[in-house]
Amino acid sequence: MASIKDVAAEAGVSVATVSRVLNDHPSVSDDARTRVLAAVEALDYRPNAVARSLRTDQTRTLGLVISDVLNPYFTELARSVEEEARALGYSVIIGNADERPELQDHHVRTLLDRRIDGLLLSPTDGGSPGILDAARAGTPMVFVDRWIPGLDVPVVRADGRAAIRDLVAHLYGLGHRRLAIIAGPAATTTGSERVAAFRDALAEYGIPLPDAYIGEGDFQAESGRRATEGFLDLPEPPEVVFAADNLMALGALDAVRARGLRVPEDLALAAFDDIRWFVHTDPPITAIAQPTPELGRAAVRALVDRIEGRVPESVTLPARLVVRRSCGETNPSPSPVRRSKS
Amino acid sequence: MASIKDVAAEAGVSVATVSRVLNDHPSVSDDARTRVLAAVEALDYRPNAVARSLRTDQTRTLGLVISDVLNPYFTELARSVEEEARALGYSVIIGNADERPELQDHHVRTLLDRRIDGLLLSPTDGGSPGILDAARAGTPMVFVDRWIPGLDVPVVRADGRAAIRDLVAHLYGLGHRRLAIIAGPAATTTGSERVAAFRDALAEYGIPLPDAYIGEGDFQAESGRRATEGFLDLPEPPEVVFAADNLMALGALDAVRARGLRVPEDLALAAFDDIRWFVHTDPPITAIAQPTPELGRAAVRALVDRIEGRVPESVTLPARLVVRRSCGETNPSPSPVRRSKS
DNA sequence: ATCCTCCATGTAATCGATTCCACGAGGAGG
DNA sequence: CCTCCTCGTGGAATCGATTACATGGAGGAT
């Protein structure tokens, strides 16, 4: 592969001049410029990003460590992150933590070894050594979706409290009184916050949230299945299960189906995170939708601000409730005019 | 951030010795080794991968350019690729082409600029300049899922012919005679091959595949919706639609639902690629399942073989039909004993 | 005509690692 | 006791870029 020296030789100039042309430095004669450009063309030369990074101490690369690539929410996030980053002249390297702290740390270290310019993180746990070290070392960093309290790192996320309150109102209106939740790991902010918001919303209706109605999930489908099994085995099973992410909702569906039960007649279901398939499931699933692409874009902008010396800002965007049929027929009262159904 | 010089100073040895310890070269005294290790610990030193890559001319990184991250098939593939690569000591950088040739080329070039050791590719089109150049330049490369004919590059893929024949047999057995397909772009191998296999299978039953029954899709949901609309507007609409990937099946479902029709009564549906949600859609969708994780692993092994000087092998694995209810009730004859239905 | 300024260019240092080569010490063999 | 090997070690070149500094020529001002 041709190097800058080859180009210099071919064009009959020094490597400095070639470099200047490539980085369009003003003080280069037209003559030299055209000769260099011709040489670049002739040799099919492409600058070696590795060498450039070593010298300039910047890679124009962002690291993104997400909790689970198989989760459509995160892949949508990853996509918008990459898109925005590309628009700003950065590449993105994605690390998949699979909800495992040690894998997360592996990726953080690998990314740091590659001297990425900044790190976008959706932490799997409450603060693994790798992340803490990186934060202390002053690595430009932004949390997205989940975060670690107590660190001076901007957070870009969706606030689901209002949407969860709307959801509980909807469920209450449908006559449900025994409501359960499949939580994420307590070590993640989204894991604990969604439970807290749910409990608070229930409290407004004087409904308690007993421990037996809190399933311990890990944001993976299998845990959703197990938690749902647990609920169904209870002497007094809940009427509704609210899964704190879409994969656990999938697991819940698996469990319900395995028992030959039906949604919403035997058990109603709602989920945090909306995905396209929820429109076509049997029945369509009521969900809380996050403005995922906006989150990704905002996170990249915050991180790049931090990298380029501006002051990054935390961003919180609202989530919203999308009602479908998985919690029971919608109350027709809001629009009493329309009679025709279907 | 501490460099190898700092470690050398701290340990009272030369950088050469530090390097030898780090790469566990045999000829280092125990004394020197322990002092270096202590210094590494004390300074929290991590080797700069950029500098190392520049010198050794290898990055221990694989590039993976996939057609669409939002497609669960590719994300499952990406996951298994990363897993296997990590096991073999490589990192993976994923580029998402979004089914757009120019974006694909952008990623290929960026990856090459970063001097990745090898490239895993699922080409969006029949041969963009970027890919052709890379192949000619001798970049270690392996195609996965899709490939470009005429290049001497190993291919790792699933063969769907047998499964498609099984599907057609299944559909024929159900009494369907007017079968349509939503194809992928003709420029991709999977786009054209699946149509060819479908046509051949139909021919075995003496059923033609008229042009009107070939929808032009691009592997994205929206195109599946449009193609299905087109079919439904035909004077004689098909009884079955076979979508060449899961996203187009989703689009087909959208179209059917928008018209208030039902699957399979009004239109039967089958898809290439099986995903978990197909179990819970209304109705569950009959699909052709690829051994996706195995494909990812085999592709990485082939690529690493090539990189490390061994001879890489092309791999073809079989896909298989998974029958569900979206094409009509399954023939009950195999198990006449069971009466109870519910 | 002299001096100053500005512009285009080249030389060489530098980034942080790896690795070839040389060198000195110590042990073995004659 | 001398020679030869082996082993541990350090010096320095190298990878491919960027960039500070030096240089020389052209042109403008006085």
Side-chain angles (χ1 to χ4, degrees):
Chain A
M1 186 146 282
S3 84
I4 195 170
K5 271 189 209 154
D6 303 317
V7 176
E10 171 86 12
V13 297
S14 72
V15 294
T17 300
V18 175
S19 177
R20 277 188 276 257
V21 171
L22 264 26
N23 297 283
D24 40 35
H25 184 97
S27 121
V28 178
S29 68
D30 286 348
D31 175 52
R33 187 184 314 280
T34 47
R35 292 221 312 284
V36 168
L37 260 18
V40 164
E41 189 75 17
L43 298 175
D44 211 5
Y45 169 76
R46 304 234 77 208
N48 183 329
V50 174
R52 184 194 298 239
S53 294
L54 176 61
R55 183 60 235 252
T56 60
D57 200 33
Q58 52 161 330
T59 49
R60 294 206 73 84
T61 301
L62 269 25
L64 169 66
V65 178
I66 54 178
S67 330
D68 184 6
V69 249
L70 297 187
N71 185 329
Y73 167 72
F74 285 112
T75 122
E76 195 178 349
L77 187 69
R79 185 199 145 125
S80 73
V81 162
E82 195 276 335
E83 217 156 51
E84 183 72 9
R86 182 152 33 81
L88 267 47
Y90 287 81
S91 302
V92 176
I93 304 185
I94 303 174
N96 172 33
D98 246 343
E99 301 287 2
R100 285 154 49 193
E102 80 284 1
L103 230 193
Q104 164 183 275
D105 260 32
H106 164 87
H107 282 120
V108 169
R109 284 202 207 285
T110 312
L111 290 168
L112 258 24
D113 287 352
R114 292 170 172 267
R115 301 301 193 265
I116 48 154
D117 294 340
L119 193 56
L120 237 36
L121 215 58
S122 172
T124 287
D125 66 349
S128 51
I131 297 181
L132 265 21
D133 289 354
R136 268 193 289 271
T139 312
M141 203 154 121
V142 167
F143 288 133
V144 55
D145 184 48
R146 312 179 185 174
W147 80 98
I148 296 176
L151 288 182
D152 182 25
V153 169
V155 180
V156 173
R157 65 187 192 103
D159 182 0
R161 299 189 70 85
I164 288 179
R165 211 172 313 127
D166 291 347
L167 171 65
V168 169
H170 167 67
L171 296 171
Y172 190 89
L174 256 18
H176 297 303
R177 294 297 178 270
R178 296 199 306 279
L179 317 185
I181 184 170
I182 308 176
T188 61
T189 45
T190 47
S192 52
E193 272 180 352
R194 288 172 193 175
V195 175
F198 191 59
R199 174 183 288 120
D200 292 352
L202 290 181
E204 292 183 20
Y205 292 88
I207 301 178
L209 182 62
D211 284 350
Y213 279 9
I214 304 179
E216 286 195 14
D218 59 4
F219 288 133
Q220 304 274 5
E222 177 53 24
S223 71
R225 200 190 52 68
R226 272 200 313 271
T228 306
E229 298 267 335
F231 291 147
L232 293 173
D233 286 339
L234 251 28
E236 194 171 49
E239 296 154 339
V240 187
V241 168
F242 172 41
D245 88 337
N246 71 82
L247 290 179
M248 296 192 298
L250 172 62
L253 236 30
D254 284 342
V256 170
R257 164 168 303 246
R259 298 227 176 172
L261 300 177
R262 286 180 319 170
V263 175
E265 292 80 356
D266 301 307
L267 184 67
L269 180 66
F272 206 103
D273 291 343
D274 192 20
I275 64 170
R276 288 194 72 170
W277 291 103
F278 280 174
V279 175
H280 297 293
T281 46
D282 176 25
I285 296 178
T286 293
I288 292 176
Q290 298 194 49
T292 318
E294 286 79 9
L295 289 175
R297 285 196 290 271
V300 170
R301 281 194 298 262
L303 184 56
V304 170
D305 279 348
R306 169 77 177 72
I307 291 171
E308 298 181 352
R310 294 182 295 274
V311 179
E313 280 187 6
S314 287
V315 175
T316 304
L317 266 25
R320 61 172 226 288
L321 177 66
V322 178
V323 173
R324 298 199 182 91
R325 295 209 325 270
S326 64
C327 300
E329 267 328 306
T330 317
N331 187 346
S333 61
S335 54
V337 180
R338 306 184 62 207
R339 290 261 92 183
S340 69
K341 178 107 180 306
S342 114
Chain B
M1 186 145 286
S3 84
I4 196 170
K5 271 189 208 153
D6 304 316
V7 175
E10 172 85 10
V13 296
S14 72
V15 294
T17 300
V18 176
S19 177
R20 277 188 277 256
V21 171
L22 265 26
N23 297 285
D24 39 35
H25 184 97
S27 165
V28 178
S29 67
D30 286 348
D31 176 54
R33 187 183 314 279
T34 48
R35 293 221 311 286
V36 167
L37 260 17
V40 164
E41 188 75 16
L43 299 175
D44 213 4
Y45 168 76
R46 304 233 79 210
N48 184 327
V50 174
R52 185 194 297 241
S53 294
L54 175 60
R55 183 59 234 253
T56 60
D57 200 33
Q58 53 162 329
T59 50
R60 294 206 72 86
T61 301
L62 270 25
L64 169 65
V65 178
I66 55 178
S67 332
D68 183 6
V69 249
L70 298 187
N71 186 330
Y73 167 72
F74 284 112
T75 125
E76 195 179 349
L77 187 69
R79 185 199 145 124
S80 73
V81 162
E82 195 275 335
E83 217 157 51
E84 183 72 9
R86 182 153 33 81
L88 296 172
Y90 286 81
S91 302
V92 175
I93 302 184
I94 303 174
N96 172 32
D98 247 342
E99 302 287 0
R100 286 153 50 193
E102 81 283 2
L103 230 191
Q104 164 183 276
D105 259 33
H106 165 86
H107 282 120
V108 169
R109 284 202 207 285
T110 312
L111 290 169
L112 258 24
D113 286 353
R114 288 165 177 271
R115 301 300 193 265
I116 48 153
D117 294 339
L119 193 56
L120 238 35
L121 216 58
S122 172
T124 288
D125 66 349
S128 51
I131 297 180
L132 264 22
D133 289 354
R136 268 193 288 271
T139 312
M141 203 155 122
V142 167
F143 288 133
V144 55
D145 184 49
R146 312 180 185 174
W147 79 98
I148 297 175
L151 288 181
D152 182 24
V153 170
V155 180
V156 173
R157 64 186 193 105
D159 181 0
R161 300 190 70 85
I164 289 179
R165 213 173 310 127
D166 292 346
L167 171 65
V168 169
H170 166 67
L171 296 170
Y172 190 89
L174 256 19
H176 298 303
R177 294 298 178 269
R178 297 199 307 277
L179 317 186
I181 184 170
I182 308 176
T188 62
T189 46
T190 47
S192 51
E193 271 180 352
R194 289 172 192 174
V195 175
F198 191 59
R199 174 183 286 121
D200 292 351
L202 291 181
E204 292 183 20
Y205 293 87
I207 302 178
L209 181 63
D211 284 349
Y213 279 10
I214 304 179
E216 286 197 13
D218 60 5
F219 287 133
Q220 304 274 7
E222 177 55 24
S223 71
R225 199 191 53 67
R226 273 198 313 271
T228 306
E229 298 268 335
F231 290 148
L232 292 172
D233 287 337
L234 251 27
E236 191 169 52
E239 296 154 336
V240 187
V241 168
F242 171 41
D245 86 339
N246 71 82
L247 291 179
M248 296 192 298
L250 172 62
L253 235 30
D254 285 343
V256 169
R257 163 167 304 245
R259 299 228 174 171
L261 300 177
R262 287 179 320 167
V263 175
E265 292 80 355
D266 300 308
L267 185 68
L269 179 67
F272 206 102
D273 290 343
D274 192 20
I275 66 171
R276 287 193 73 170
W277 291 105
F278 281 175
V279 174
H280 297 293
T281 46
D282 175 24
I285 296 177
T286 293
I288 291 176
Q290 297 194 49
T292 319
E294 287 77 10
L295 289 175
R297 284 196 290 271
V300 170
R301 281 195 298 262
L303 184 55
V304 170
D305 278 348
R306 169 76 176 73
I307 291 171
E308 299 182 352
R310 295 182 294 276
V311 179
E313 279 186 8
S314 287
V315 175
T316 304
L317 266 25
R320 62 171 224 290
L321 177 67
V322 178
V323 174
R324 300 200 182 91
R325 296 209 323 272
S326 65
C327 300
E329 263 334 301
T330 318
N331 188 348
S333 60
S335 55
V337 181
R338 304 185 65 206
R339 290 262 92 185
S340 70
K341 179 113 180 299
S342 103

